[in-house]
Amino acid sequence: MNGGVILLVDDNPDDVAFTRRALAKNHVTNPVVVAHDGAEALDLLLPPDGAAPLQPALVLLDMKLPKYDGHEVLQRLRADPATRVLPVVVLTTSSEERDIVESYRLGANSYVRKPVAFADFVAATDVLSRYWLAVNEPVPARPGSHP
């Protein structure tokens, strides 16, 4: 399995705990970094002060966030060459068609609606983590670039 960091972007502490529990239940041992709003996520991935950016193996992005919503975060990530190919899975409670369409239009790699029941969430997290961290072949890093 890809042992890289997972960036979880979610402002709801219950959903953060729920996601961490589901990942642990599926034996995902990747470190999880949490950004509690869109601005914090962008500061980690595209630091304004020239600091080294976080280079996660996977970003799990909620749509309904303070400061910058998930669509704006996605748009900014795809506009920057350093994060353009970063795997971003929208993981949200919204099943609204406009959110789904807009997420894909802005370059989301996948859109997953958070199941309400924990057992269903564990199953969804298992499939998601197996695919993105074990099956998917990430873009190779080139010297001097950020994948």
Side-chain angles (χ1 to χ4, degrees):
M1 231 185 229
N2 180 336
V5 169
I6 296 170
L7 176 60
L8 173 59
V9 187
D10 200 318
D11 65 319
N12 183 321
D14 293 335
D15 285 349
V16 169
F18 202 57
T19 304
R20 284 182 182 274
R21 276 186 53 217
L23 290 169
K25 201 88 156 140
N26 288 307
H27 310 288
V28 176
T29 58
N30 300 61
V32 176
V33 173
V34 177
H36 301 95
D37 59 53
E40 187 179 353
L42 290 171
D43 284 348
L44 287 169
L45 296 167
L46 300 167
D49 57 5
L54 182 68
Q55 296 181 30
L58 179 63
V59 175
L60 300 176
L61 179 65
D62 191 21
M63 280 291 100
K64 294 173 181 19
L65 297 166
K67 299 189 182 174
Y68 300 116
D69 71 12
H71 289 134
E72 189 163 2
V73 171
L74 193 51
Q75 184 174 23
R76 289 183 183 204
L77 293 179
R78 294 308 186 227
D80 193 293
T83 54
R84 186 169 290 140
V85 297
L86 190 63
V88 178
V89 173
V90 173
L91 183 62
T92 188
T93 56
S94 175
S95 59
E96 294 181 37
E97 186 176 320
R98 70 175 184 261
D99 284 340
I100 298 168
V101 170
E102 186 67 2
S103 294
Y104 281 119
R105 188 187 73 74
L106 292 171
N109 297 96
S110 186
Y111 192 99
V112 178
R113 192 171 94 50
K114 294 177 190 174
V116 176
F118 185 67
D120 294 338
F121 191 72
V122 169
T125 306
D126 183 45
V127 172
L128 187 150
S129 62
R130 283 178 194 258
Y131 177 77
W132 287 107
L133 301 173
V135 176
N136 182 60
E137 191 70 37
V139 174
R142 293 175 299 173
S145 70
H146 305 289

